[in-house]
Amino acid sequence: QSALTQPASVSGSLGQSITISCAGTSSDVGSYALVSWYQQYPDEAPKVLIFDDIKRPSGVSHRFSGSKAGNTASLTIFGLQAEDEAEYYCCSYAGTDTWVFGGGTKVTVL
Amino acid sequence: QVQLVQSGAEVKKPGASVNVSCKTTGFPFTPYNFAWLRQAPGQGLEWLGWISGYVGYTSYAQKFQGRITVTIDPSTTTAYMELRGLRSDDTAVYYCAREACSTVSCHAFDSWGQGTPVTVSS
């Protein structure tokens, strides 16, 4: 169960759009439509933004969008706002009732 | 409202065991799975395992097999995690989380406890 690969950091200006990638394998990301994305502020518990690759829970801003191509999932944040500055984690089902996370991406709003 | 409230911070010596509890309220317990995750200082999230709230079926990350036990007490709607043989690199904040599942699969960790800091130090 190797961790999924995310860029350590991504930055963008206010109002811009940014995309965070999450690279897995054919055993996890590529095999199941079960990638989720989480936002975490310092000293807080994570919050789910996207599940099932592309679905948004009620109450999550439409500025957050999930996608996937092959073994790589992506989270796009449209219209970057100051409150989007946080750590973002992807997670994928990895088979046999197990889950694997990415290493996290720190988003900085310039 | 949905709440998962974890037990307080722990300080343990290497080789000891730690037990963390996760009291749930605001939703029916048995239809859900409950996962345990951790986050070492300055590091990312790591999935440890989960348990079914209905039948108590468990699944653990291979890395923790033999060292971790996750249990539930449906009568008190509480989940528990025991980690044995603690090492310094087990120092982390441990989280419980509710898994949102359908009849086919589970989809996300949709509610989280506040986290329990566990420090392993001699």
Side-chain angles (χ1 to χ4, degrees):
Chain A
Q1 294 165 349
S2 299
L4 308 175
T5 301
Q6 298 181 234
S9 62
V10 172
S11 61
S13 300
L14 279 170
Q16 264 192 328
S17 297
I18 61 169
T19 297
I20 303 167
S21 61
C22 170
T25 69
S26 58
S27 297
D28 39 59
V29 173
S31 283
Y32 310 97
L34 292 172
V35 172
S36 50
W37 288 89
Y38 300 84
Q39 177 190 58
Q40 186 181 33
Y41 294 112
D43 298 321
E44 292 189 12
K47 169 192 169 185
V48 60
L49 297 176
I50 298 289
F51 67 99
D52 291 357
D53 292 356
I54 60 171
K55 298 176 183 176
R56 242 184 338 267
S58 62
V60 171
S61 171
H62 284 68
R63 297 186 301 104
F64 295 97
S65 177
S67 62
K68 192 171 78 176
N71 297 336
T72 300
S74 298
L75 174 72
T76 298
I77 307 176
F78 296 98
L80 205 57
Q81 299 181 2
E83 64 259 33
D84 298 333
E85 190 159 292
E87 195 85 19
Y88 292 82
Y89 294 93
C90 62
C91 175
S92 175
Y93 183 66
T96 55
D97 295 329
T98 65
W99 297 86
V100 62
F101 277 85
T105 297
K106 180 173 176 52
V107 168
T108 301
V109 181
L110 303 171
Chain B
Q1 76 273 26
V2 172
Q3 280 195 307
L4 290 78
V5 179
Q6 299 181 222
S7 49
E10 302 266 11
V11 179
K12 297 290 183 181
K13 293 196 181 304
S17 299
V18 68
N19 284 277
V20 181
S21 66
C22 174
K23 167 68 177 173
T24 72
T25 57
F27 63 96
F29 186 79
T30 52
Y32 289 92
N33 295 343
F34 297 94
W36 288 90
L37 309 97
R38 75 180 186 181
Q39 188 168 36
Q43 302 299 309
L45 295 166
E46 183 174 28
W47 177 81
L48 307 182
W50 65 264
I51 185 166
S52 161
Y54 181 59
V55 296
Y57 171 82
T58 56
S59 178
Y60 302 125
Q62 192 171 13
K63 174 180 177 179
F64 299 99
Q65 291 274 2
R67 274 212 306 147
I68 188 172
T69 301
V70 174
T71 56
I72 53 170
D73 182 349
S75 69
T76 61
T77 64
T78 303
Y80 300 89
M81 188 276 300
E82 179 191 35
L83 189 62
R84 301 176 293 278
L86 290 170
R87 308 184 288 253
S88 59
D89 62 359
D90 290 318
T91 294
V93 175
Y94 288 75
Y95 292 100
C96 65
R98 188 182 77 170
E99 288 192 42
C101 302
S102 63
T103 54
V104 177
S105 62
C106 292
H107 305 274
F109 308 108
D110 68 347
S111 294
W112 295 65
Q114 83 277 20
T116 296
V118 174
T119 302
V120 183
S121 174
S122 54

